[in-house]
Short mmCIF file of all heavy atoms in Angstrom, two decimals:
data_model
loop_
_atom_site.label_atom_id
_atom_site.label_comp_id
_atom_site.label_asym_id
_atom_site.label_seq_id
_atom_site.Cartn_x
_atom_site.Cartn_y
_atom_site.Cartn_z
N MET A 1 5.50 0.11 -11.12
CA MET A 1 4.24 0.79 -11.36
C MET A 1 4.20 2.02 -10.47
O MET A 1 4.60 1.98 -9.32
CB MET A 1 3.09 -0.14 -11.04
CG MET A 1 1.75 0.55 -11.08
SD MET A 1 0.41 -0.60 -11.03
CE MET A 1 0.54 -1.28 -12.66
N THR A 2 3.67 3.10 -10.98
CA THR A 2 3.55 4.33 -10.21
C THR A 2 2.10 4.72 -10.09
O THR A 2 1.33 4.60 -11.03
CB THR A 2 4.33 5.47 -10.91
OG1 THR A 2 5.69 5.07 -11.01
CG2 THR A 2 4.23 6.75 -10.13
N SER A 3 1.73 5.20 -8.91
CA SER A 3 0.36 5.65 -8.68
C SER A 3 0.40 6.90 -7.82
O SER A 3 0.99 6.90 -6.76
CB SER A 3 -0.43 4.56 -7.96
OG SER A 3 -1.68 5.05 -7.57
N THR A 4 -0.21 7.97 -8.30
CA THR A 4 -0.25 9.19 -7.51
C THR A 4 -1.68 9.66 -7.27
O THR A 4 -1.90 10.70 -6.68
CB THR A 4 0.53 10.32 -8.20
OG1 THR A 4 0.00 10.51 -9.51
CG2 THR A 4 2.00 9.98 -8.30
N GLU A 5 -2.67 8.90 -7.71
CA GLU A 5 -4.06 9.28 -7.50
C GLU A 5 -4.51 8.87 -6.11
O GLU A 5 -4.23 7.78 -5.65
CB GLU A 5 -4.96 8.59 -8.53
CG GLU A 5 -4.67 9.01 -9.95
CD GLU A 5 -5.56 8.28 -10.93
OE1 GLU A 5 -6.69 7.91 -10.54
OE2 GLU A 5 -5.14 8.08 -12.06
N ALA A 6 -5.26 9.77 -5.44
CA ALA A 6 -5.73 9.50 -4.08
C ALA A 6 -6.72 8.33 -4.05
O ALA A 6 -6.87 7.67 -3.05
CB ALA A 6 -6.37 10.75 -3.49
N THR A 7 -7.40 8.07 -5.16
CA THR A 7 -8.40 7.01 -5.20
C THR A 7 -7.86 5.74 -5.85
O THR A 7 -8.63 4.86 -6.20
CB THR A 7 -9.65 7.49 -5.97
OG1 THR A 7 -9.24 7.87 -7.29
CG2 THR A 7 -10.31 8.65 -5.27
N ALA A 8 -6.57 5.63 -6.04
CA ALA A 8 -5.97 4.47 -6.69
C ALA A 8 -6.11 3.22 -5.83
O ALA A 8 -6.30 3.29 -4.62
CB ALA A 8 -4.50 4.75 -6.98
N ALA A 9 -5.96 2.09 -6.48
CA ALA A 9 -6.04 0.80 -5.80
C ALA A 9 -4.92 -0.09 -6.30
O ALA A 9 -4.37 0.12 -7.38
CB ALA A 9 -7.39 0.16 -6.06
N CYS A 10 -4.61 -1.10 -5.53
CA CYS A 10 -3.59 -2.07 -5.92
C CYS A 10 -4.06 -2.77 -7.20
O CYS A 10 -5.16 -3.32 -7.23
CB CYS A 10 -3.39 -3.08 -4.80
SG CYS A 10 -2.20 -4.39 -5.22
N PRO A 11 -3.24 -2.79 -8.24
CA PRO A 11 -3.65 -3.44 -9.47
C PRO A 11 -3.65 -4.96 -9.37
O PRO A 11 -4.21 -5.64 -10.22
CB PRO A 11 -2.60 -2.97 -10.49
CG PRO A 11 -1.39 -2.69 -9.67
CD PRO A 11 -1.92 -2.17 -8.35
N HIS A 12 -3.06 -5.51 -8.31
CA HIS A 12 -2.97 -6.95 -8.14
C HIS A 12 -4.15 -7.54 -7.38
O HIS A 12 -4.58 -8.65 -7.66
CB HIS A 12 -1.67 -7.32 -7.44
CG HIS A 12 -0.47 -6.71 -8.10
ND1 HIS A 12 -0.05 -7.08 -9.36
CD2 HIS A 12 0.35 -5.71 -7.71
CE1 HIS A 12 1.01 -6.35 -9.70
NE2 HIS A 12 1.26 -5.51 -8.71
N CYS A 13 -4.69 -6.76 -6.42
CA CYS A 13 -5.78 -7.30 -5.60
C CYS A 13 -6.98 -6.36 -5.51
O CYS A 13 -8.03 -6.75 -5.02
CB CYS A 13 -5.29 -7.64 -4.20
SG CYS A 13 -4.84 -6.20 -3.20
N GLY A 14 -6.83 -5.11 -5.95
CA GLY A 14 -7.95 -4.18 -5.94
C GLY A 14 -8.14 -3.43 -4.64
O GLY A 14 -9.05 -2.62 -4.52
N TRP A 15 -7.27 -3.68 -3.67
CA TRP A 15 -7.43 -3.01 -2.37
C TRP A 15 -7.08 -1.53 -2.52
O TRP A 15 -6.07 -1.20 -3.13
CB TRP A 15 -6.51 -3.66 -1.34
CG TRP A 15 -6.96 -3.34 0.05
CD1 TRP A 15 -6.52 -2.31 0.82
CD2 TRP A 15 -7.92 -4.03 0.82
NE1 TRP A 15 -7.17 -2.34 2.03
CE2 TRP A 15 -8.03 -3.38 2.05
CE3 TRP A 15 -8.71 -5.15 0.57
CZ2 TRP A 15 -8.90 -3.80 3.04
CZ3 TRP A 15 -9.56 -5.57 1.56
CH2 TRP A 15 -9.65 -4.90 2.78
N PRO A 16 -7.90 -0.61 -1.98
CA PRO A 16 -7.59 0.82 -2.12
C PRO A 16 -6.28 1.20 -1.43
O PRO A 16 -5.97 0.70 -0.36
CB PRO A 16 -8.77 1.52 -1.43
CG PRO A 16 -9.67 0.47 -0.91
CD PRO A 16 -9.10 -0.87 -1.22
N ASP A 17 -5.52 2.08 -2.07
CA ASP A 17 -4.23 2.49 -1.51
C ASP A 17 -4.38 3.11 -0.13
O ASP A 17 -3.50 2.99 0.71
CB ASP A 17 -3.53 3.48 -2.44
CG ASP A 17 -2.95 2.79 -3.66
OD1 ASP A 17 -2.86 1.54 -3.67
OD2 ASP A 17 -2.58 3.50 -4.61
N GLY A 18 -5.48 3.80 0.13
CA GLY A 18 -5.69 4.43 1.43
C GLY A 18 -6.29 3.51 2.47
O GLY A 18 -6.46 3.89 3.62
N GLY A 19 -6.61 2.27 2.10
CA GLY A 19 -7.27 1.35 3.03
C GLY A 19 -6.32 0.43 3.75
O GLY A 19 -5.14 0.36 3.47
N GLU A 20 -6.85 -0.30 4.68
CA GLU A 20 -6.11 -1.33 5.39
C GLU A 20 -6.46 -2.67 4.72
O GLU A 20 -7.46 -2.76 4.05
CB GLU A 20 -6.55 -1.36 6.86
CG GLU A 20 -6.29 -0.06 7.61
CD GLU A 20 -4.83 0.22 7.87
OE1 GLU A 20 -4.03 -0.74 7.91
OE2 GLU A 20 -4.48 1.38 8.02
N PRO A 21 -5.76 -3.76 4.83
CA PRO A 21 -4.55 -3.85 5.63
C PRO A 21 -3.30 -3.56 4.80
O PRO A 21 -3.25 -3.80 3.61
CB PRO A 21 -4.55 -5.31 6.04
CG PRO A 21 -5.15 -6.02 4.88
CD PRO A 21 -6.15 -5.06 4.30
N PHE A 22 -2.35 -3.02 5.42
CA PHE A 22 -0.99 -3.01 4.91
C PHE A 22 -0.09 -3.05 6.13
O PHE A 22 -0.50 -2.71 7.23
CB PHE A 22 -0.68 -1.82 4.01
CG PHE A 22 -0.72 -0.49 4.72
CD1 PHE A 22 0.40 0.02 5.34
CD2 PHE A 22 -1.89 0.26 4.73
CE1 PHE A 22 0.36 1.25 5.97
CE2 PHE A 22 -1.94 1.48 5.37
CZ PHE A 22 -0.82 1.98 5.98
N ARG A 23 1.09 -3.54 5.94
CA ARG A 23 2.03 -3.64 7.05
C ARG A 23 3.14 -2.62 6.84
O ARG A 23 3.73 -2.55 5.77
CB ARG A 23 2.62 -5.04 7.11
CG ARG A 23 3.42 -5.26 8.39
CD ARG A 23 3.74 -6.70 8.58
NE ARG A 23 4.93 -7.00 7.80
CZ ARG A 23 5.30 -8.21 7.45
NH1 ARG A 23 4.58 -9.24 7.77
NH2 ARG A 23 6.40 -8.39 6.75
N MET A 24 3.39 -1.82 7.85
CA MET A 24 4.48 -0.85 7.81
C MET A 24 5.80 -1.60 8.01
O MET A 24 5.98 -2.30 9.00
CB MET A 24 4.30 0.18 8.93
CG MET A 24 5.36 1.24 8.96
SD MET A 24 5.25 2.44 7.64
CE MET A 24 3.69 3.20 8.04
N LEU A 25 6.69 -1.49 7.05
CA LEU A 25 7.99 -2.13 7.14
C LEU A 25 9.05 -1.16 7.66
O LEU A 25 9.89 -1.54 8.48
CB LEU A 25 8.40 -2.69 5.78
CG LEU A 25 7.43 -3.69 5.17
CD1 LEU A 25 7.86 -4.08 3.77
CD2 LEU A 25 7.28 -4.91 6.06
N SER A 26 9.03 0.08 7.17
CA SER A 26 9.95 1.09 7.68
C SER A 26 9.45 2.48 7.31
O SER A 26 8.66 2.63 6.38
CB SER A 26 11.38 0.89 7.14
OG SER A 26 11.41 1.10 5.75
N ARG A 27 9.91 3.48 8.05
CA ARG A 27 9.54 4.88 7.80
C ARG A 27 10.82 5.71 7.91
O ARG A 27 11.60 5.53 8.83
CB ARG A 27 8.52 5.33 8.83
CG ARG A 27 8.18 6.80 8.71
CD ARG A 27 7.23 7.20 9.79
NE ARG A 27 5.88 7.09 9.24
CZ ARG A 27 4.81 7.50 9.86
NH1 ARG A 27 4.89 8.01 11.07
NH2 ARG A 27 3.64 7.39 9.30
N HIS A 28 11.00 6.63 6.93
CA HIS A 28 12.21 7.42 6.86
C HIS A 28 11.85 8.89 6.66
O HIS A 28 11.08 9.22 5.76
CB HIS A 28 13.10 6.96 5.71
CG HIS A 28 13.35 5.47 5.75
ND1 HIS A 28 14.34 4.92 6.52
CD2 HIS A 28 12.69 4.45 5.16
CE1 HIS A 28 14.30 3.60 6.38
NE2 HIS A 28 13.31 3.29 5.57
N ALA A 29 12.41 9.76 7.48
CA ALA A 29 12.15 11.20 7.36
C ALA A 29 12.81 11.75 6.09
O ALA A 29 13.88 11.31 5.70
CB ALA A 29 12.70 11.93 8.58
N THR A 30 12.12 12.69 5.45
CA THR A 30 12.67 13.40 4.30
C THR A 30 12.56 14.90 4.58
O THR A 30 11.97 15.31 5.57
CB THR A 30 11.89 13.07 3.00
OG1 THR A 30 10.56 13.56 3.11
CG2 THR A 30 11.87 11.56 2.74
N ALA A 31 13.06 15.71 3.68
CA ALA A 31 13.01 17.16 3.87
C ALA A 31 11.58 17.68 3.85
O ALA A 31 11.28 18.71 4.45
CB ALA A 31 13.83 17.85 2.79
N THR A 32 10.67 16.97 3.19
CA THR A 32 9.30 17.46 3.06
C THR A 32 8.26 16.61 3.80
O THR A 32 7.08 16.91 3.76
CB THR A 32 8.88 17.51 1.57
OG1 THR A 32 9.00 16.20 1.01
CG2 THR A 32 9.75 18.48 0.81
N GLY A 33 8.68 15.56 4.48
CA GLY A 33 7.73 14.68 5.18
C GLY A 33 8.40 13.37 5.53
O GLY A 33 9.39 13.34 6.25
N HIS A 34 7.89 12.27 4.98
CA HIS A 34 8.53 10.98 5.18
C HIS A 34 8.17 10.01 4.06
O HIS A 34 7.22 10.21 3.33
CB HIS A 34 8.21 10.39 6.56
CG HIS A 34 6.76 10.10 6.78
ND1 HIS A 34 5.90 11.03 7.33
CD2 HIS A 34 6.01 9.01 6.53
CE1 HIS A 34 4.69 10.49 7.41
NE2 HIS A 34 4.73 9.28 6.92
N THR A 35 8.99 8.96 3.95
CA THR A 35 8.78 7.87 3.01
C THR A 35 8.49 6.61 3.82
O THR A 35 9.17 6.36 4.82
CB THR A 35 10.02 7.64 2.13
OG1 THR A 35 10.28 8.85 1.41
CG2 THR A 35 9.82 6.50 1.16
N GLU A 36 7.49 5.85 3.42
CA GLU A 36 7.13 4.61 4.10
C GLU A 36 7.25 3.43 3.14
O GLU A 36 6.82 3.53 2.00
CB GLU A 36 5.67 4.66 4.58
CG GLU A 36 5.38 5.80 5.51
CD GLU A 36 3.90 5.97 5.78
OE1 GLU A 36 3.05 5.37 5.06
OE2 GLU A 36 3.58 6.70 6.72
N TRP A 37 7.84 2.36 3.60
CA TRP A 37 7.86 1.10 2.86
C TRP A 37 6.81 0.23 3.54
O TRP A 37 6.88 -0.04 4.75
CB TRP A 37 9.23 0.45 2.94
CG TRP A 37 10.25 1.17 2.12
CD1 TRP A 37 10.91 2.31 2.44
CD2 TRP A 37 10.70 0.81 0.82
NE1 TRP A 37 11.75 2.69 1.43
CE2 TRP A 37 11.65 1.79 0.42
CE3 TRP A 37 10.40 -0.24 -0.05
CZ2 TRP A 37 12.29 1.73 -0.81
CZ3 TRP A 37 11.06 -0.29 -1.27
CH2 TRP A 37 11.98 0.68 -1.65
N THR A 38 5.80 -0.20 2.78
CA THR A 38 4.70 -0.99 3.33
C THR A 38 4.47 -2.22 2.47
O THR A 38 5.01 -2.35 1.37
CB THR A 38 3.41 -0.16 3.38
OG1 THR A 38 3.01 0.19 2.05
CG2 THR A 38 3.59 1.11 4.20
N ARG A 39 3.63 -3.13 2.97
CA ARG A 39 3.25 -4.30 2.22
C ARG A 39 1.73 -4.37 2.18
O ARG A 39 1.07 -4.28 3.20
CB ARG A 39 3.83 -5.57 2.85
CG ARG A 39 3.88 -6.71 1.87
CD ARG A 39 4.75 -7.85 2.32
NE ARG A 39 6.18 -7.65 2.26
CZ ARG A 39 6.94 -7.70 1.18
NH1 ARG A 39 6.40 -7.87 0.00
NH2 ARG A 39 8.24 -7.56 1.26
N CYS A 40 1.18 -4.51 0.97
CA CYS A 40 -0.26 -4.63 0.77
C CYS A 40 -0.72 -6.00 1.28
O CYS A 40 0.08 -6.90 1.52
CB CYS A 40 -0.55 -4.50 -0.73
SG CYS A 40 -2.30 -4.61 -1.18
N GLY A 41 -2.02 -6.18 1.40
CA GLY A 41 -2.57 -7.46 1.83
C GLY A 41 -2.22 -8.61 0.90
O GLY A 41 -2.14 -9.76 1.32
N CYS A 42 -1.97 -8.32 -0.39
CA CYS A 42 -1.62 -9.37 -1.35
C CYS A 42 -0.13 -9.66 -1.36
O CYS A 42 0.34 -10.56 -2.04
CB CYS A 42 -2.07 -8.98 -2.76
SG CYS A 42 -1.17 -7.59 -3.49
N GLY A 43 0.64 -8.88 -0.59
CA GLY A 43 2.08 -9.09 -0.51
C GLY A 43 2.89 -8.14 -1.36
O GLY A 43 4.11 -8.16 -1.33
N SER A 44 2.25 -7.27 -2.13
CA SER A 44 2.94 -6.31 -2.96
C SER A 44 3.68 -5.30 -2.09
O SER A 44 3.11 -4.72 -1.17
CB SER A 44 1.91 -5.58 -3.84
OG SER A 44 2.48 -4.49 -4.51
N LEU A 45 4.97 -5.09 -2.37
CA LEU A 45 5.76 -4.09 -1.66
C LEU A 45 5.40 -2.72 -2.22
O LEU A 45 5.31 -2.54 -3.43
CB LEU A 45 7.24 -4.37 -1.86
CG LEU A 45 8.22 -3.45 -1.13
CD1 LEU A 45 8.05 -3.58 0.38
CD2 LEU A 45 9.64 -3.78 -1.55
N GLN A 46 5.17 -1.74 -1.34
CA GLN A 46 4.77 -0.40 -1.76
C GLN A 46 5.68 0.64 -1.14
O GLN A 46 6.13 0.49 -0.02
CB GLN A 46 3.34 -0.10 -1.31
CG GLN A 46 2.33 -1.08 -1.82
CD GLN A 46 0.95 -0.85 -1.24
OE1 GLN A 46 0.80 -0.19 -0.22
NE2 GLN A 46 -0.04 -1.39 -1.90
N VAL A 47 5.94 1.70 -1.89
CA VAL A 47 6.64 2.87 -1.37
C VAL A 47 5.61 3.99 -1.32
O VAL A 47 4.99 4.32 -2.33
CB VAL A 47 7.83 3.28 -2.25
CG1 VAL A 47 8.51 4.53 -1.69
CG2 VAL A 47 8.82 2.14 -2.38
N ARG A 48 5.41 4.54 -0.13
CA ARG A 48 4.45 5.63 0.07
C ARG A 48 5.21 6.89 0.46
O ARG A 48 6.14 6.82 1.25
CB ARG A 48 3.45 5.28 1.18
CG ARG A 48 2.59 4.09 0.84
CD ARG A 48 1.79 3.63 2.05
NE ARG A 48 1.00 2.47 1.70
CZ ARG A 48 -0.31 2.47 1.61
NH1 ARG A 48 -0.99 3.56 1.90
NH2 ARG A 48 -0.96 1.39 1.26
N VAL A 49 4.79 8.01 -0.09
CA VAL A 49 5.38 9.30 0.25
C VAL A 49 4.31 10.10 0.98
O VAL A 49 3.17 10.18 0.51
CB VAL A 49 5.84 10.05 -1.01
CG1 VAL A 49 6.24 11.47 -0.69
CG2 VAL A 49 6.99 9.30 -1.67
N ALA A 50 4.66 10.65 2.13
CA ALA A 50 3.75 11.51 2.88
C ALA A 50 4.41 12.88 2.97
O ALA A 50 5.53 13.02 3.47
CB ALA A 50 3.51 10.94 4.27
N ASP A 51 3.71 13.89 2.46
CA ASP A 51 4.23 15.25 2.47
C ASP A 51 3.05 16.22 2.53
O ASP A 51 1.94 15.82 2.88
CB ASP A 51 5.12 15.51 1.26
CG ASP A 51 4.44 15.26 -0.07
OD1 ASP A 51 3.19 15.22 -0.12
OD2 ASP A 51 5.16 15.11 -1.07
N GLY A 52 3.26 17.46 2.18
CA GLY A 52 2.21 18.46 2.23
C GLY A 52 1.05 18.17 1.30
O GLY A 52 -0.04 18.71 1.47
N ARG A 53 1.23 17.28 0.32
CA ARG A 53 0.16 16.90 -0.61
C ARG A 53 -0.63 15.69 -0.13
O ARG A 53 -1.56 15.25 -0.78
CB ARG A 53 0.73 16.62 -1.99
CG ARG A 53 1.34 17.85 -2.62
CD ARG A 53 1.98 17.62 -3.97
NE ARG A 53 1.83 16.29 -4.52
CZ ARG A 53 2.53 15.85 -5.55
NH1 ARG A 53 3.42 16.62 -6.13
NH2 ARG A 53 2.35 14.63 -6.01
N GLY A 54 -0.24 15.10 0.98
CA GLY A 54 -0.91 13.90 1.50
C GLY A 54 -0.02 12.68 1.38
O GLY A 54 1.17 12.80 1.12
N THR A 55 -0.61 11.50 1.56
CA THR A 55 0.12 10.24 1.45
C THR A 55 -0.34 9.54 0.19
O THR A 55 -1.53 9.43 -0.07
CB THR A 55 -0.15 9.35 2.68
OG1 THR A 55 0.27 10.05 3.86
CG2 THR A 55 0.62 8.04 2.58
N ARG A 56 0.62 9.04 -0.59
CA ARG A 56 0.28 8.35 -1.83
C ARG A 56 1.31 7.26 -2.12
O ARG A 56 2.47 7.38 -1.72
CB ARG A 56 0.19 9.33 -2.98
CG ARG A 56 1.47 10.04 -3.29
CD ARG A 56 1.23 11.40 -3.94
NE ARG A 56 2.47 12.12 -4.09
CZ ARG A 56 3.05 12.84 -3.15
NH1 ARG A 56 2.51 12.95 -1.97
NH2 ARG A 56 4.18 13.47 -3.38
N VAL A 57 0.87 6.23 -2.82
CA VAL A 57 1.76 5.16 -3.27
C VAL A 57 2.46 5.67 -4.53
O VAL A 57 1.80 6.08 -5.48
CB VAL A 57 0.99 3.86 -3.55
CG1 VAL A 57 1.91 2.80 -4.14
CG2 VAL A 57 0.32 3.34 -2.29
N VAL A 58 3.78 5.65 -4.52
CA VAL A 58 4.53 6.13 -5.68
C VAL A 58 5.21 4.99 -6.44
O VAL A 58 5.64 5.18 -7.57
CB VAL A 58 5.57 7.20 -5.29
CG1 VAL A 58 4.87 8.45 -4.77
CG2 VAL A 58 6.57 6.68 -4.29
N SER A 59 5.30 3.81 -5.84
CA SER A 59 5.89 2.66 -6.51
C SER A 59 5.41 1.40 -5.82
O SER A 59 5.13 1.40 -4.62
CB SER A 59 7.42 2.76 -6.45
OG SER A 59 8.01 1.70 -7.16
N ARG A 60 5.31 0.30 -6.58
CA ARG A 60 4.91 -0.98 -5.98
C ARG A 60 5.44 -2.13 -6.82
O ARG A 60 5.67 -1.99 -8.01
CB ARG A 60 3.41 -1.08 -5.81
CG ARG A 60 2.63 -1.17 -7.07
CD ARG A 60 1.13 -1.38 -6.80
NE ARG A 60 0.44 -0.11 -6.87
CZ ARG A 60 -0.40 0.34 -5.96
NH1 ARG A 60 -0.69 -0.37 -4.91
NH2 ARG A 60 -0.97 1.50 -6.10
N SER A 61 5.61 -3.28 -6.17
CA SER A 61 6.05 -4.50 -6.84
C SER A 61 4.83 -5.37 -7.11
O SER A 61 3.70 -5.01 -6.78
CB SER A 61 7.03 -5.26 -5.94
OG SER A 61 6.34 -5.83 -4.83
N GLY A 62 5.09 -6.54 -7.64
CA GLY A 62 4.04 -7.53 -7.78
C GLY A 62 3.82 -8.23 -6.46
O GLY A 62 4.56 -8.02 -5.50
N PRO A 63 2.79 -9.07 -6.37
CA PRO A 63 2.53 -9.80 -5.13
C PRO A 63 3.69 -10.73 -4.77
O PRO A 63 4.41 -11.20 -5.65
CB PRO A 63 1.28 -10.62 -5.44
CG PRO A 63 0.67 -9.96 -6.63
CD PRO A 63 1.79 -9.33 -7.39
N ALA A 64 3.85 -10.97 -3.49
CA ALA A 64 4.88 -11.88 -3.03
C ALA A 64 4.51 -13.31 -3.41
O ALA A 64 3.35 -13.69 -3.32
CB ALA A 64 5.05 -11.76 -1.52
N PRO A 65 5.48 -14.13 -3.85
CA PRO A 65 5.18 -15.52 -4.19
C PRO A 65 4.65 -16.28 -2.98
O PRO A 65 5.13 -16.10 -1.87
CB PRO A 65 6.53 -16.08 -4.64
CG PRO A 65 7.44 -14.93 -4.81
CD PRO A 65 6.87 -13.78 -4.03
N GLY A 66 3.65 -17.09 -3.19
CA GLY A 66 3.11 -17.92 -2.13
C GLY A 66 2.14 -17.22 -1.20
O GLY A 66 1.65 -17.82 -0.26
N VAL A 67 1.85 -15.95 -1.43
CA VAL A 67 0.90 -15.22 -0.59
C VAL A 67 -0.46 -15.26 -1.26
O VAL A 67 -0.58 -14.95 -2.44
CB VAL A 67 1.34 -13.75 -0.38
CG1 VAL A 67 0.29 -12.96 0.36
CG2 VAL A 67 2.67 -13.71 0.33
N ALA A 68 -1.48 -15.68 -0.52
CA ALA A 68 -2.83 -15.72 -1.08
C ALA A 68 -3.28 -14.31 -1.42
O ALA A 68 -3.07 -13.38 -0.63
CB ALA A 68 -3.79 -16.35 -0.08
N PRO A 69 -3.87 -14.11 -2.59
CA PRO A 69 -4.31 -12.76 -2.96
C PRO A 69 -5.44 -12.28 -2.07
O PRO A 69 -6.24 -13.06 -1.58
CB PRO A 69 -4.78 -12.92 -4.40
CG PRO A 69 -5.06 -14.37 -4.57
CD PRO A 69 -4.18 -15.10 -3.61
N ALA A 70 -5.47 -10.97 -1.85
CA ALA A 70 -6.57 -10.35 -1.11
C ALA A 70 -7.82 -10.39 -1.98
O ALA A 70 -7.73 -10.59 -3.19
CB ALA A 70 -6.20 -8.91 -0.77
N PRO A 71 -8.99 -10.20 -1.39
CA PRO A 71 -10.21 -10.21 -2.19
C PRO A 71 -10.20 -9.09 -3.22
O PRO A 71 -9.53 -8.07 -3.04
CB PRO A 71 -11.32 -9.99 -1.15
CG PRO A 71 -10.64 -9.39 0.02
CD PRO A 71 -9.23 -9.89 0.01
N ALA A 72 -10.96 -9.27 -4.30
CA ALA A 72 -11.01 -8.27 -5.37
C ALA A 72 -11.52 -6.93 -4.85
O ALA A 72 -11.13 -5.90 -5.33
CB ALA A 72 -11.87 -8.78 -6.51
N ARG A 73 -12.41 -6.96 -3.87
CA ARG A 73 -12.93 -5.73 -3.26
C ARG A 73 -12.77 -5.84 -1.75
O ARG A 73 -12.95 -6.92 -1.19
CB ARG A 73 -14.40 -5.55 -3.58
CG ARG A 73 -14.64 -5.21 -5.02
CD ARG A 73 -16.10 -5.01 -5.30
NE ARG A 73 -16.75 -4.30 -4.22
CZ ARG A 73 -18.07 -4.19 -4.10
NH1 ARG A 73 -18.85 -4.72 -4.98
NH2 ARG A 73 -18.60 -3.54 -3.10
N PRO A 74 -12.46 -4.76 -1.08
CA PRO A 74 -12.36 -4.82 0.38
C PRO A 74 -13.70 -5.19 1.01
O PRO A 74 -14.74 -4.77 0.53
CB PRO A 74 -11.97 -3.40 0.78
CG PRO A 74 -11.58 -2.72 -0.47
CD PRO A 74 -12.18 -3.46 -1.61
N ASP A 75 -13.64 -5.99 2.04
CA ASP A 75 -14.86 -6.31 2.79
C ASP A 75 -14.53 -6.30 4.28
O ASP A 75 -13.39 -6.37 4.67
CB ASP A 75 -15.45 -7.65 2.35
CG ASP A 75 -14.55 -8.83 2.64
OD1 ASP A 75 -13.38 -8.62 2.99
OD2 ASP A 75 -15.01 -9.96 2.54
N THR A 76 -15.52 -6.22 5.10
CA THR A 76 -15.29 -6.15 6.53
C THR A 76 -15.05 -7.51 7.16
O THR A 76 -14.52 -7.60 8.24
CB THR A 76 -16.47 -5.46 7.24
OG1 THR A 76 -17.67 -6.18 6.93
CG2 THR A 76 -16.61 -4.03 6.80
N ALA A 77 -15.40 -8.58 6.46
CA ALA A 77 -15.25 -9.92 7.03
C ALA A 77 -13.83 -10.44 6.91
O ALA A 77 -13.47 -11.39 7.56
CB ALA A 77 -16.21 -10.88 6.35
N ASN A 78 -13.02 -9.84 6.06
CA ASN A 78 -11.70 -10.40 5.78
C ASN A 78 -10.61 -9.34 5.86
O ASN A 78 -9.75 -9.27 5.03
CB ASN A 78 -11.73 -11.04 4.39
CG ASN A 78 -10.86 -12.26 4.30
OD1 ASN A 78 -10.19 -12.61 5.26
ND2 ASN A 78 -10.88 -12.90 3.17
N ARG A 79 -10.63 -8.50 6.88
CA ARG A 79 -9.69 -7.38 6.97
C ARG A 79 -8.31 -7.78 7.48
O ARG A 79 -7.34 -7.16 7.14
CB ARG A 79 -10.26 -6.31 7.88
CG ARG A 79 -11.40 -5.62 7.21
CD ARG A 79 -11.13 -4.19 7.19
NE ARG A 79 -12.11 -3.56 6.34
CZ ARG A 79 -12.02 -2.36 5.91
NH1 ARG A 79 -11.02 -1.63 6.26
NH2 ARG A 79 -12.92 -1.85 5.14
N CYS A 80 -8.21 -8.77 8.29
CA CYS A 80 -6.93 -9.11 8.92
C CYS A 80 -6.23 -10.19 8.10
O CYS A 80 -6.77 -11.25 7.87
CB CYS A 80 -7.15 -9.59 10.35
SG CYS A 80 -5.63 -9.95 11.20
N ARG A 81 -5.02 -9.89 7.68
CA ARG A 81 -4.20 -10.87 6.95
C ARG A 81 -2.89 -10.99 7.68
O ARG A 81 -2.18 -10.02 7.88
CB ARG A 81 -3.96 -10.40 5.53
CG ARG A 81 -5.23 -10.19 4.78
CD ARG A 81 -5.01 -10.50 3.34
NE ARG A 81 -6.21 -10.26 2.59
CZ ARG A 81 -7.19 -11.13 2.47
NH1 ARG A 81 -7.11 -12.29 3.02
NH2 ARG A 81 -8.26 -10.84 1.76
N GLY A 82 -2.54 -12.18 8.07
CA GLY A 82 -1.35 -12.37 8.86
C GLY A 82 -0.16 -12.79 8.17
O GLY A 82 0.26 -12.91 7.18
#
């Protein structure tokens, strides 16, 4: 799945792409900025590109097996997922 909209959200759990939580797995420099491999709160692997246009999710997987899904909407009571 590809997403380049700044207001996009994870299609699996509804968490906004620009919101927390996500876990940074690795960061790699590119000629125009950097690429980040992250994991959404639902376990979905995401590839983020940060360059002169901002940071955006450009690819993502489905949720990881056995990971409880994040809430349908972000809330302040359930921000930390371990």
Side-chain angles (χ1 to χ4, degrees):
M1 172 169 288
T2 301
S3 172
T4 57
E5 296 179 29
T7 58
C10 177
H12 308 293
C13 68
W15 199 267
D17 286 346
E20 299 290 335
F22 66 88
R23 190 168 83 199
M24 181 73 65
L25 302 175
S26 66
R27 176 183 266 188
H28 308 276
T30 66
T32 59
H34 62 269
T35 300
E36 302 170 347
W37 288 79
T38 64
R39 200 165 287 282
C40 181
C42 69
S44 170
L45 182 63
Q46 303 174 341
V47 179
R48 296 170 181 249
V49 171
D51 56 19
R53 295 178 5 193
T55 301
R56 63 206 174 276
V57 175
V58 295
S59 184
R60 69 175 97 229
S61 71
V67 174
R73 290 182 39 192
D75 64 349
T76 57
N78 214 357
R79 289 235 170 193
C80 183
R81 302 211 182 276

